Amino acid sequence: DGGITQSPKYLFRKEGQNVTLSCEQNLNHDAMYWYRQDPGQGLRLIYYSQIVNDFQKGDIAEGYSVSREKKESFPLTVTSAQKNPTAFYLCASSVDTEAFFGQGTRLTVV
Amino acid sequence: AQSVTQLGSHVSVSEGALVLLRCNYSSSVPPYLFWYVQYPNQGLQLLLKYTSAATLVKGINGFEAEFKKSETSFHLTKPSAHMSDAAEYFCAVKDRGSTLGRLYFGRGTQLTVWP
């Protein structure tokens, strides 16, 4: 089945650590996105990539980094510079007018 | 940038009652419009989308939405609520003239269905 796979589903981070969230898609989509979801805030765009080896900052990129070395993969690193990383993170890909979402990763700082 | 407003962060209805979730957008050029549903700790599932001339859009699970340009609205309705409809609902828009597929989301509406 085609889709987007995010891993892990739950992730715990100690303060000062960098952590990487995985996002893999087999839909052959060029465009991929990372959104952050906080209660009552909706989804906010962190980074996006329209093609391999290219990516752009979204609305809340500070404290995050990404790479796009392969079409299928768009990992997100939450760095120690992100002061409030506890949130639900959603990866998406899109073609034409439709976006497809992964099942999300819930990151908690302990 | 686009702005999406969902009126009411929480809506409660009885099973069998009408569901009405409100969404308004800000742009002068009508965008593409979407409604998504999210169950706890899950991703987003597309309910329906408006991309062309038909202003009344039917989606999955008995939901439908009507695009009203004069009101810049895209409200979601379902004639008869079911317990399984309890979830969070997001309205989203995409710029019609943009090649970028990013979505702008409202803050979400949590729907509770009482037995």
Side-chain angles (χ1 to χ4, degrees):
Chain A
D1 284 337
I4 298 178
T5 301
Q6 290 188 239
S7 62
K9 189 169 177 66
Y10 298 94
L11 185 58
F12 297 89
R13 189 194 98 167
K14 294 181 180 179
E15 291 202 17
Q17 273 186 342
N18 292 354
V19 290
T20 297
L21 284 59
S22 171
C23 177
E24 302 279 333
Q25 55 105 351
N26 59 4
L27 299 168
N28 200 35
H29 292 167
D30 286 315
M32 296 187 73
Y33 312 81
W34 275 105
Y35 292 91
R36 170 178 170 143
Q37 183 180 5
D38 297 281
Q41 297 283 329
L43 279 72
R44 293 178 290 169
L45 184 65
I46 305 172
Y47 266 98
Y48 63 93
S49 169
Q50 293 184 273
I51 197 167
V52 174
N53 292 322
D54 184 63
F55 49 84
Q56 305 295 329
K57 292 181 179 180
D59 302 324
I60 56 165
E62 185 175 351
Y64 300 97
S65 65
V66 294
S67 63
R68 187 83 186 279
E69 297 176 359
K70 299 186 301 181
K71 188 175 187 178
E72 302 79 17
S73 179
F74 191 40
L76 173 74
T77 296
V78 184
T79 75
S80 57
Q82 172 49 241
K83 298 306 178 188
N84 185 22
T86 295
F88 192 54
Y89 291 86
L90 286 160
C91 178
S93 68
S94 73
V95 62
D96 296 328
T97 60
E98 191 145 352
F100 300 82
F101 287 83
Q103 293 297 292
T105 293
R106 184 165 297 281
L107 174 62
T108 304
V109 173
V110 296
Chain B
Q2 292 275 3
S3 175
V4 181
T5 302
Q6 289 184 240
L7 288 176
S9 58
H10 291 83
V11 170
S12 295
V13 299
S14 298
E15 193 171 21
L18 171 71
V19 176
L20 171 60
L21 305 182
R22 300 177 186 273
C23 173
N24 289 86
Y25 63 91
S26 64
S27 65
S28 56
V29 176
Y32 297 121
L33 294 149
F34 307 84
W35 275 100
Y36 286 88
V37 62
Q38 183 183 39
Y39 298 98
N41 290 311
Q42 298 287 320
L44 272 63
Q45 181 183 6
L46 181 66
L47 279 176
L48 49 80
K49 63 180 179 181
Y50 167 76
T51 59
S52 62
T55 57
L56 183 61
V57 181
K58 294 188 183 299
I60 63 172
N61 301 338
F63 284 94
E64 62 182 36
E66 185 173 10
F67 168 67
K68 292 187 176 180
K69 183 178 178 180
S70 61
E71 298 177 8
T72 61
S73 69
F74 191 56
H75 302 332
L76 181 71
T77 61
K78 182 174 181 178
S80 178
H82 191 272
M83 296 293 289
S84 62
D85 295 326
E88 188 154 26
Y89 292 80
F90 292 95
C91 180
V93 305
K94 175 187 176 305
D95 286 332
R96 189 172 287 269
S98 172
T99 58
L100 177 61
R102 73 155 294 172
L103 296 169
Y104 296 86
F105 287 88
R107 291 175 176 258
T109 298
Q110 183 69 46
L111 176 66
T112 300
V113 182
W114 299 102

